[in-house]
DNA sequence: ATGGTGGCCCGGCCA
């Protein structure tokens, strides 16, 4: 099974590239973030024509997450549950090919002294609580998405430029570690240990062409999934050319 | 260089 996560920064702006990428890469399950669409505008029929069932949780102008699957898609849940405290569309769950899959778009945080940073830390704590209450790490679970956190300094092109900044601050990394400590493995890192492999590059200042990025898009899998990983890559080609997202897809292949 | 680019949708926010 090939599973991927990709922040596409507007599905409306990116649909043509997403369709070409699906045909090229042939993933079985895709977690999308930042669709920036209302549910009514989500192009489910176009994905169906390509062989993918889909589920979307959107609000319109901002955020929006989706899961595509050609190996089954059932039991869709959105947000943190019935009394969801999150006013924004940042999380969707579905069961695909025997794996409980989440597509997550973690809040950016903006700045360490901003209210949005507290929202980010609370959001991550809510995700850990949801895992504690609803799931079992001995079962197959994948939490994939744009975490807006570089787990270590090796996931940043120049960590000295991000002191006292979001994406690298110790409280964010600790909140991510609490999620991992529930019983998840960074499945890309598991098979690709080398530094300076990035999934996001700022549009500004030619960062992509200078190889100045961060690895903030993660596929976290429970042990029954992580032990099946045979290959992982970041599809840098998807960051090139005309009208790319600022993120590249991260892809993991699992043995059957 | 306190900028830069690109998405939302057309003035300013968000990343």
């Amino acid at each position: 099974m090939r599973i991927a996560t990709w922040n596409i920064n507007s599905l409306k702006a990116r649909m043509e590239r997403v369709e070409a990428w699906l045909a090229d890469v042939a993933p079985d399950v895709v977690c999308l973030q930042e669709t920036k669409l209302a549910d009514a505008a989500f192009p489910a029929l176009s994905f169906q024509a390509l062989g993918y069932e889909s589920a979307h949780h959107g609000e319109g102008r901002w955020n929006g997450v989706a899961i595509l699957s050609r190996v089954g898609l059932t039991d869709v849940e959105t947000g943190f549950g019935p009394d969801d405290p999150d006013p924004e569309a940042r999380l969707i769950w579905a069961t695909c090919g025997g794996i409980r899959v989440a597509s997550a778009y973690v809040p950016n945080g903006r700045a360490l002294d901003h209210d949005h940073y507290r929202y980010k830390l609370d959001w991550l704590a809510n995700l850990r609580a949801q895992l504690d209450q609803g799931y079992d790490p001995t079962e197959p679970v994948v939490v994939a998405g744009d975490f807006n956190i570089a787990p270590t300094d090796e996931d940043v092109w120049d960590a000295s430029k991000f002191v006292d900044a979001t994406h690298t601050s110790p409280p964010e990394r600790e909140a991510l570690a609490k999620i991992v400590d529930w019983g998840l493995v960074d499945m890309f890192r598991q098979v690709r240990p080398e530094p300076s492999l990035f999934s996001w590059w700022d549009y500004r200042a030619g960062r992509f062409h200078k190889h100045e990025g961060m690895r903030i898009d993660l596929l976290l899998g429970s042990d029954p999934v992580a032990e099946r990983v045979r290959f992982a890559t970041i599809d840098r080609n998807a960051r090139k050319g005309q009208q790319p997202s600022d993120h590249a897809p991260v892809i993991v292949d699992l043995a059957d």
Side-chain angles (χ1 to χ4, degrees):
Chain A
M1 182 187 298
R2 170 164 286 181
I3 180 165
T5 185
W6 191 10
N7 179 324
I8 39 80
N9 185 19
S10 169
L11 190 53
K12 187 177 176 183
R14 216 71 59 211
M15 188 61 180
E16 211 171 303
R17 286 193 68 131
V18 171
E19 288 183 324
W21 179 83
L22 289 172
D24 187 36
V25 172
D28 295 297
V29 178
V30 185
C31 297
L32 298 174
Q33 300 85 40
E34 283 206 87
T35 63
K36 297 185 176 178
L37 293 176
D39 288 335
F42 184 76
L45 290 174
S46 297
F47 289 125
Q48 189 178 62
L50 299 171
Y52 291 91
E53 295 178 82
S54 61
H56 180 253
H57 178 42
E59 61 188 72
R61 186 174 181 184
W62 306 115
N63 311 308
V65 286
I67 300 173
L68 315 180
S69 173
R70 60 177 193 180
V71 291
L73 191 154
T74 61
D75 301 294
V76 175
E77 291 180 85
T78 60
F80 293 114
D83 301 312
D84 189 4
D86 192 0
E88 302 188 348
R90 295 180 174 276
L91 183 64
I92 188 167
W93 289 86
T95 300
C96 307
I99 301 174
R100 191 69 180 152
V101 176
S103 178
Y105 177 45
V106 176
N108 174 285
R110 297 183 193 168
L112 301 195
D113 60 356
H114 198 290
D115 286 347
H116 208 258
Y117 183 72
R118 171 45 54 189
Y119 171 51
K120 182 180 197 174
L121 296 179
D122 290 345
W123 200 97
L124 291 161
N126 286 336
L127 180 57
R128 167 67 202 240
Q130 185 179 39
L131 289 167
D132 285 331
Q133 289 157 22
Y135 297 101
D136 179 342
T138 67
E139 298 289 320
V141 175
V142 168
V143 181
D146 176 1
F147 283 77
N148 272 314
I149 299 168
T152 75
D153 285 352
E154 299 215 315
D155 300 305
V156 183
W157 62 276
D158 184 349
S160 73
K161 291 189 163 54
F162 295 91
V163 175
D164 295 327
T166 62
H167 295 60
T168 65
S169 72
E172 291 165 74
R173 286 177 168 170
E174 285 158 20
L176 174 59
K178 284 201 174 88
I179 290 166
V180 170
D181 288 347
W182 175 78
L184 297 170
V185 174
D186 183 339
M187 295 194 288
F188 178 84
R189 255 311 173 232
Q190 178 180 232
V191 295
R192 299 294 304 273
E194 59 269 42
S196 302
L197 294 172
F198 307 132
S199 65
W200 170 84
W201 301 261
D202 200 314
Y203 283 123
R204 296 168 289 188
R207 293 269 187 249
F208 179 68
H209 302 285
K210 293 189 274 190
H211 305 288
E212 296 176 348
M214 289 192 188
R215 191 177 69 94
I216 58 176
D217 299 276
L218 309 176
L219 288 134
L220 307 179
S222 60
D223 285 342
V225 183
E227 67 190 12
R228 293 167 57 194
V229 174
R230 294 294 179 268
F231 172 80
T233 195
I234 296 171
D235 186 4
R236 296 180 77 260
N237 284 330
R239 181 63 177 78
K240 301 176 182 174
Q242 294 295 309
Q243 295 183 299
S245 169
D246 46 352
H247 295 250
V250 184
I251 299 166
V252 167
D253 286 348
L254 306 176
D256 291 331

